[in-house]
Short mmCIF file of all heavy atoms in Angstrom, two decimals:
data_model
loop_
_atom_site.label_atom_id
_atom_site.label_comp_id
_atom_site.label_asym_id
_atom_site.label_seq_id
_atom_site.Cartn_x
_atom_site.Cartn_y
_atom_site.Cartn_z
N LEU U 13 -36.53 -34.64 -13.28
CA LEU U 13 -35.40 -34.45 -12.31
C LEU U 13 -36.00 -34.02 -11.04
O LEU U 13 -36.83 -33.11 -10.98
CB LEU U 13 -34.46 -33.35 -12.79
CG LEU U 13 -33.42 -33.59 -13.86
CD1 LEU U 13 -32.60 -32.30 -14.03
CD2 LEU U 13 -32.51 -34.72 -13.50
N PRO U 14 -35.47 -34.53 -9.85
CA PRO U 14 -35.90 -33.99 -8.59
C PRO U 14 -35.29 -32.58 -8.42
O PRO U 14 -34.15 -32.30 -8.82
CB PRO U 14 -35.34 -34.96 -7.59
CG PRO U 14 -34.24 -35.67 -8.27
CD PRO U 14 -34.55 -35.69 -9.76
N ALA U 15 -36.10 -31.70 -7.84
CA ALA U 15 -35.65 -30.28 -7.61
C ALA U 15 -35.93 -29.93 -6.16
O ALA U 15 -37.07 -30.04 -5.70
CB ALA U 15 -36.40 -29.34 -8.59
N ILE U 16 -34.86 -29.43 -5.49
CA ILE U 16 -35.00 -28.96 -4.15
C ILE U 16 -35.12 -27.46 -4.18
O ILE U 16 -34.43 -26.79 -4.96
CB ILE U 16 -33.66 -29.31 -3.38
CG1 ILE U 16 -33.42 -30.85 -3.41
CG2 ILE U 16 -33.76 -28.75 -1.93
CD1 ILE U 16 -31.96 -31.15 -3.14
N ALA U 17 -36.04 -26.92 -3.34
CA ALA U 17 -36.08 -25.45 -3.18
C ALA U 17 -35.54 -25.07 -1.86
O ALA U 17 -35.96 -25.68 -0.79
CB ALA U 17 -37.48 -24.95 -3.39
N GLN U 18 -34.61 -24.18 -1.80
CA GLN U 18 -34.00 -23.72 -0.56
C GLN U 18 -34.17 -22.20 -0.43
O GLN U 18 -33.91 -21.46 -1.41
CB GLN U 18 -32.50 -24.07 -0.52
CG GLN U 18 -31.82 -23.63 0.77
CD GLN U 18 -30.35 -24.02 0.86
OE1 GLN U 18 -29.71 -24.18 -0.16
NE2 GLN U 18 -29.82 -24.18 2.07
N ASP U 19 -34.60 -21.77 0.73
CA ASP U 19 -34.77 -20.31 0.99
C ASP U 19 -33.41 -19.66 1.15
O ASP U 19 -32.61 -20.06 2.01
CB ASP U 19 -35.60 -20.15 2.24
CG ASP U 19 -36.02 -18.71 2.47
OD1 ASP U 19 -35.13 -17.87 2.71
OD2 ASP U 19 -37.21 -18.39 2.44
N THR U 20 -33.13 -18.64 0.39
CA THR U 20 -31.79 -18.03 0.38
C THR U 20 -31.61 -17.22 1.70
O THR U 20 -30.50 -16.96 2.14
CB THR U 20 -31.55 -17.08 -0.76
OG1 THR U 20 -32.54 -16.15 -0.90
CG2 THR U 20 -31.42 -17.88 -2.07
N HIS U 21 -32.68 -16.74 2.33
CA HIS U 21 -32.58 -15.94 3.49
C HIS U 21 -32.38 -16.79 4.73
O HIS U 21 -31.43 -16.64 5.49
CB HIS U 21 -33.82 -15.03 3.70
CG HIS U 21 -33.96 -14.02 2.54
ND1 HIS U 21 -33.02 -13.05 2.34
CD2 HIS U 21 -34.91 -13.91 1.68
CE1 HIS U 21 -33.45 -12.33 1.33
NE2 HIS U 21 -34.56 -12.85 0.86
N SER U 22 -33.27 -17.73 4.95
CA SER U 22 -33.24 -18.57 6.17
C SER U 22 -32.30 -19.76 5.97
O SER U 22 -31.85 -20.34 6.96
CB SER U 22 -34.62 -19.09 6.53
OG SER U 22 -35.07 -19.95 5.57
N GLY U 23 -32.05 -20.10 4.74
CA GLY U 23 -31.29 -21.36 4.51
C GLY U 23 -32.13 -22.59 4.60
O GLY U 23 -31.63 -23.74 4.35
N ASP U 24 -33.41 -22.47 4.99
CA ASP U 24 -34.27 -23.67 5.12
C ASP U 24 -34.52 -24.36 3.81
O ASP U 24 -34.75 -23.69 2.77
CB ASP U 24 -35.60 -23.26 5.71
CG ASP U 24 -35.51 -22.86 7.20
OD1 ASP U 24 -34.42 -23.08 7.81
OD2 ASP U 24 -36.54 -22.34 7.73
N VAL U 25 -34.49 -25.69 3.88
CA VAL U 25 -34.96 -26.46 2.74
C VAL U 25 -36.49 -26.41 2.75
O VAL U 25 -37.13 -26.79 3.75
CB VAL U 25 -34.40 -27.91 2.81
CG1 VAL U 25 -35.10 -28.76 1.70
CG2 VAL U 25 -32.91 -27.94 2.62
N LEU U 26 -37.06 -25.93 1.65
CA LEU U 26 -38.53 -25.69 1.64
C LEU U 26 -39.35 -26.85 1.16
O LEU U 26 -40.37 -27.17 1.69
CB LEU U 26 -38.79 -24.47 0.76
CG LEU U 26 -38.20 -23.12 1.23
CD1 LEU U 26 -38.38 -22.11 0.21
CD2 LEU U 26 -38.82 -22.75 2.56
N MET U 27 -38.83 -27.51 0.13
CA MET U 27 -39.63 -28.61 -0.51
C MET U 27 -38.79 -29.38 -1.50
O MET U 27 -37.73 -28.92 -1.87
CB MET U 27 -40.82 -27.97 -1.29
CG MET U 27 -40.46 -26.97 -2.30
SD MET U 27 -41.87 -26.17 -3.13
CE MET U 27 -42.36 -27.39 -4.28
#
Side-chain angles (χ1 to χ4, degrees):
Chain U
L13 278 183
I16 303 159
Q18 181 178 27
D19 187 297
T20 54
H21 296 296
S22 66
D24 288 351
V25 172
L26 297 172
M27 57 184 280

